[in-house]
mmCIF file of all heavy atoms in Angstrom:
data_model
loop_
_atom_site.group_PDB
_atom_site.id
_atom_site.type_symbol
_atom_site.label_atom_id
_atom_site.label_comp_id
_atom_site.label_asym_id
_atom_site.label_seq_id
_atom_site.Cartn_x
_atom_site.Cartn_y
_atom_site.Cartn_z
ATOM 1 N N LYS A 166 -14.537 23.113 -30.691
ATOM 2 C CA LYS A 166 -13.495 24.023 -30.216
ATOM 3 C C LYS A 166 -13.666 24.269 -28.713
ATOM 4 O O LYS A 166 -14.781 24.461 -28.241
ATOM 5 C CB LYS A 166 -13.559 25.356 -30.965
ATOM 6 C CG LYS A 166 -13.303 25.258 -32.463
ATOM 7 C CD LYS A 166 -13.255 26.635 -33.104
ATOM 8 C CE LYS A 166 -14.575 27.363 -32.957
ATOM 9 N NZ LYS A 166 -14.548 28.670 -33.660
ATOM 10 N N ILE A 167 -12.566 24.275 -27.991
ATOM 11 C CA ILE A 167 -12.586 24.556 -26.559
ATOM 12 C C ILE A 167 -11.562 25.648 -26.271
ATOM 13 O O ILE A 167 -10.362 25.457 -26.512
ATOM 14 C CB ILE A 167 -12.237 23.307 -25.729
ATOM 15 C CG1 ILE A 167 -13.196 22.159 -26.045
ATOM 16 C CG2 ILE A 167 -12.251 23.623 -24.238
ATOM 17 C CD1 ILE A 167 -12.809 20.844 -25.394
ATOM 18 N N LYS A 168 -12.035 26.775 -25.785
ATOM 19 C CA LYS A 168 -11.129 27.889 -25.487
ATOM 20 C C LYS A 168 -10.346 27.589 -24.216
ATOM 21 O O LYS A 168 -10.923 27.315 -23.158
ATOM 22 C CB LYS A 168 -11.926 29.193 -25.340
ATOM 23 C CG LYS A 168 -11.031 30.419 -25.171
ATOM 24 C CD LYS A 168 -11.814 31.712 -25.377
ATOM 25 C CE LYS A 168 -12.822 31.929 -24.268
ATOM 26 N NZ LYS A 168 -13.465 33.266 -24.370
ATOM 27 N N LEU A 169 -9.028 27.644 -24.313
ATOM 28 C CA LEU A 169 -8.178 27.272 -23.192
ATOM 29 C C LEU A 169 -8.296 28.238 -22.020
ATOM 30 O O LEU A 169 -8.064 27.847 -20.868
ATOM 31 C CB LEU A 169 -6.715 27.174 -23.632
ATOM 32 C CG LEU A 169 -6.404 26.155 -24.732
ATOM 33 C CD1 LEU A 169 -4.903 26.020 -24.923
ATOM 34 C CD2 LEU A 169 -7.014 24.795 -24.419
ATOM 35 N N GLN A 170 -8.637 29.506 -22.297
ATOM 36 C CA GLN A 170 -8.762 30.488 -21.217
ATOM 37 C C GLN A 170 -10.169 30.569 -20.645
ATOM 38 O O GLN A 170 -10.445 31.405 -19.786
ATOM 39 C CB GLN A 170 -8.322 31.871 -21.720
ATOM 40 C CG GLN A 170 -6.857 31.950 -22.105
ATOM 41 C CD GLN A 170 -5.949 31.512 -20.967
ATOM 42 O OE1 GLN A 170 -6.114 31.920 -19.826
ATOM 43 N NE2 GLN A 170 -4.972 30.651 -21.286
ATOM 44 N N ASN A 171 -11.037 29.692 -21.127
ATOM 45 C CA ASN A 171 -12.399 29.646 -20.593
ATOM 46 C C ASN A 171 -12.345 29.362 -19.090
ATOM 47 O O ASN A 171 -11.575 28.517 -18.633
ATOM 48 C CB ASN A 171 -13.191 28.554 -21.320
ATOM 49 C CG ASN A 171 -14.592 28.388 -20.775
ATOM 50 O OD1 ASN A 171 -14.782 27.707 -19.781
ATOM 51 N ND2 ASN A 171 -15.554 28.995 -21.433
ATOM 52 N N LYS A 172 -13.150 30.082 -18.313
ATOM 53 C CA LYS A 172 -13.091 29.981 -16.853
ATOM 54 C C LYS A 172 -13.372 28.566 -16.375
ATOM 55 O O LYS A 172 -12.662 28.035 -15.512
ATOM 56 C CB LYS A 172 -14.084 30.963 -16.237
ATOM 57 C CG LYS A 172 -14.019 30.986 -14.712
ATOM 58 C CD LYS A 172 -14.993 32.001 -14.128
ATOM 59 C CE LYS A 172 -14.911 31.997 -12.606
ATOM 60 N NZ LYS A 172 -15.878 32.954 -11.994
ATOM 61 N N VAL A 173 -14.406 27.933 -16.922
ATOM 62 C CA VAL A 173 -14.752 26.574 -16.515
ATOM 63 C C VAL A 173 -13.620 25.619 -16.849
ATOM 64 O O VAL A 173 -13.231 24.763 -16.044
ATOM 65 C CB VAL A 173 -16.056 26.116 -17.203
ATOM 66 C CG1 VAL A 173 -16.299 24.626 -16.956
ATOM 67 C CG2 VAL A 173 -17.231 26.937 -16.689
ATOM 68 N N PHE A 174 -13.043 25.782 -18.050
ATOM 69 C CA PHE A 174 -11.944 24.912 -18.460
ATOM 70 C C PHE A 174 -10.744 25.077 -17.542
ATOM 71 O O PHE A 174 -10.117 24.103 -17.127
ATOM 72 C CB PHE A 174 -11.556 25.225 -19.916
ATOM 73 C CG PHE A 174 -10.489 24.313 -20.462
ATOM 74 C CD1 PHE A 174 -10.834 23.104 -21.033
ATOM 75 C CD2 PHE A 174 -9.151 24.669 -20.401
ATOM 76 C CE1 PHE A 174 -9.861 22.254 -21.536
ATOM 77 C CE2 PHE A 174 -8.168 23.833 -20.891
ATOM 78 C CZ PHE A 174 -8.528 22.622 -21.463
ATOM 79 N N GLN A 175 -10.430 26.316 -17.200
ATOM 80 C CA GLN A 175 -9.281 26.588 -16.334
ATOM 81 C C GLN A 175 -9.479 26.039 -14.929
ATOM 82 O O GLN A 175 -8.571 25.438 -14.346
ATOM 83 C CB GLN A 175 -9.034 28.101 -16.268
ATOM 84 C CG GLN A 175 -8.409 28.697 -17.513
ATOM 85 C CD GLN A 175 -6.963 28.247 -17.668
ATOM 86 O OE1 GLN A 175 -6.198 28.234 -16.718
ATOM 87 N NE2 GLN A 175 -6.603 27.897 -18.898
ATOM 88 N N GLU A 176 -10.668 26.214 -14.375
ATOM 89 C CA GLU A 176 -10.922 25.834 -12.986
ATOM 90 C C GLU A 176 -11.140 24.335 -12.805
ATOM 91 O O GLU A 176 -10.747 23.763 -11.784
ATOM 92 C CB GLU A 176 -12.136 26.590 -12.447
ATOM 93 C CG GLU A 176 -11.895 28.093 -12.296
ATOM 94 C CD GLU A 176 -13.119 28.815 -11.759
ATOM 95 O OE1 GLU A 176 -14.180 28.154 -11.639
ATOM 96 O OE2 GLU A 176 -13.020 30.019 -11.469
ATOM 97 N N ARG A 177 -11.754 23.690 -13.797
ATOM 98 C CA ARG A 177 -12.134 22.290 -13.617
ATOM 99 C C ARG A 177 -11.239 21.293 -14.348
ATOM 100 O O ARG A 177 -11.090 20.155 -13.902
ATOM 101 C CB ARG A 177 -13.575 22.074 -14.091
ATOM 102 C CG ARG A 177 -14.615 22.868 -13.339
ATOM 103 C CD ARG A 177 -15.999 22.472 -13.807
ATOM 104 N NE ARG A 177 -17.042 23.271 -13.164
ATOM 105 C CZ ARG A 177 -18.346 23.110 -13.374
ATOM 106 N NH1 ARG A 177 -18.757 22.164 -14.221
ATOM 107 N NH2 ARG A 177 -19.226 23.864 -12.767
ATOM 108 N N ILE A 178 -10.657 21.713 -15.463
ATOM 109 C CA ILE A 178 -9.976 20.745 -16.325
ATOM 110 C C ILE A 178 -8.481 21.005 -16.429
ATOM 111 O O ILE A 178 -7.657 20.119 -16.216
ATOM 112 C CB ILE A 178 -10.616 20.727 -17.733
ATOM 113 C CG1 ILE A 178 -12.066 20.250 -17.614
ATOM 114 C CG2 ILE A 178 -9.827 19.833 -18.679
ATOM 115 C CD1 ILE A 178 -12.818 20.223 -18.925
ATOM 116 N N SER A 179 -8.120 22.223 -16.760
ATOM 117 C CA SER A 179 -6.720 22.527 -17.046
ATOM 118 C C SER A 179 -5.800 22.249 -15.860
ATOM 119 O O SER A 179 -4.613 21.987 -16.036
ATOM 120 C CB SER A 179 -6.588 23.996 -17.471
ATOM 121 O OG SER A 179 -5.274 24.277 -17.881
ATOM 122 N N CYS A 180 -6.349 22.295 -14.669
ATOM 123 C CA CYS A 180 -5.532 22.095 -13.456
ATOM 124 C C CYS A 180 -5.149 20.635 -13.220
ATOM 125 O O CYS A 180 -4.311 20.348 -12.363
ATOM 126 C CB CYS A 180 -6.291 22.628 -12.242
ATOM 127 S SG CYS A 180 -7.884 21.832 -11.977
ATOM 128 N N LEU A 181 -5.739 19.720 -13.974
ATOM 129 C CA LEU A 181 -5.491 18.302 -13.758
ATOM 130 C C LEU A 181 -4.269 17.826 -14.538
ATOM 131 O O LEU A 181 -4.160 18.063 -15.740
ATOM 132 C CB LEU A 181 -6.703 17.466 -14.180
ATOM 133 C CG LEU A 181 -8.001 17.698 -13.400
ATOM 134 C CD1 LEU A 181 -9.108 16.833 -13.973
ATOM 135 C CD2 LEU A 181 -7.796 17.385 -11.912
ATOM 136 N N GLU A 182 -3.370 17.133 -13.854
ATOM 137 C CA GLU A 182 -2.211 16.559 -14.533
ATOM 138 C C GLU A 182 -2.662 15.458 -15.476
ATOM 139 O O GLU A 182 -3.480 14.613 -15.127
ATOM 140 C CB GLU A 182 -1.231 15.985 -13.507
ATOM 141 C CG GLU A 182 0.025 15.418 -14.128
ATOM 142 C CD GLU A 182 1.043 14.930 -13.113
ATOM 143 O OE1 GLU A 182 0.834 15.172 -11.898
ATOM 144 O OE2 GLU A 182 2.046 14.312 -13.531
ATOM 145 N N GLY A 183 -2.142 15.482 -16.686
ATOM 146 C CA GLY A 183 -2.464 14.458 -17.669
ATOM 147 C C GLY A 183 -3.565 14.836 -18.624
ATOM 148 O O GLY A 183 -3.739 14.195 -19.666
ATOM 149 N N ILE A 184 -4.316 15.895 -18.295
ATOM 150 C CA ILE A 184 -5.489 16.220 -19.118
ATOM 151 C C ILE A 184 -5.081 16.709 -20.502
ATOM 152 O O ILE A 184 -5.746 16.403 -21.497
ATOM 153 C CB ILE A 184 -6.382 17.266 -18.400
ATOM 154 C CG1 ILE A 184 -7.794 17.261 -18.982
ATOM 155 C CG2 ILE A 184 -5.791 18.661 -18.481
ATOM 156 C CD1 ILE A 184 -8.594 16.042 -18.640
ATOM 157 N N HIS A 185 -3.990 17.445 -20.608
ATOM 158 C CA HIS A 185 -3.595 17.976 -21.914
ATOM 159 C C HIS A 185 -3.085 16.858 -22.826
ATOM 160 O O HIS A 185 -3.325 16.887 -24.039
ATOM 161 C CB HIS A 185 -2.546 19.073 -21.739
ATOM 162 C CG HIS A 185 -3.069 20.263 -20.995
ATOM 163 N ND1 HIS A 185 -3.964 21.153 -21.553
ATOM 164 C CD2 HIS A 185 -2.862 20.691 -19.710
ATOM 165 C CE1 HIS A 185 -4.264 22.084 -20.668
ATOM 166 N NE2 HIS A 185 -3.610 21.822 -19.539
ATOM 167 N N ARG A 186 -2.435 15.861 -22.245
ATOM 168 C CA ARG A 186 -2.012 14.727 -23.055
ATOM 169 C C ARG A 186 -3.227 13.898 -23.491
ATOM 170 O O ARG A 186 -3.217 13.271 -24.552
ATOM 171 C CB ARG A 186 -1.024 13.872 -22.271
ATOM 172 C CG ARG A 186 0.259 14.620 -21.936
ATOM 173 C CD ARG A 186 1.471 13.803 -22.221
ATOM 174 N NE ARG A 186 1.898 13.026 -21.087
ATOM 175 C CZ ARG A 186 3.021 12.305 -21.066
ATOM 176 N NH1 ARG A 186 3.801 12.270 -22.127
ATOM 177 N NH2 ARG A 186 3.351 11.618 -20.010
ATOM 178 N N PHE A 187 -4.272 13.907 -22.682
ATOM 179 C CA PHE A 187 -5.497 13.214 -23.064
ATOM 180 C C PHE A 187 -6.125 13.884 -24.285
ATOM 181 O O PHE A 187 -6.537 13.203 -25.235
ATOM 182 C CB PHE A 187 -6.480 13.211 -21.890
ATOM 183 C CG PHE A 187 -7.822 12.617 -22.222
ATOM 184 C CD1 PHE A 187 -7.968 11.247 -22.387
ATOM 185 C CD2 PHE A 187 -8.940 13.428 -22.374
ATOM 186 C CE1 PHE A 187 -9.214 10.699 -22.703
ATOM 187 C CE2 PHE A 187 -10.173 12.890 -22.683
ATOM 188 C CZ PHE A 187 -10.320 11.520 -22.845
#
Side-chain angles (χ1 to χ4, degrees):
K166 297 185 298 184
I167 303 173
K168 186 166 68 173
L169 300 188
Q170 296 305 313
N171 177 277
K172 184 178 180 182
V173 171
F174 184 86
Q175 286 290 316
E176 292 180 353
R177 298 185 183 181
I178 296 178
S179 186
C180 59
L181 297 178
E182 182 176 352
I184 199 71
H185 296 288
R186 297 226 269 186
F187 175 73

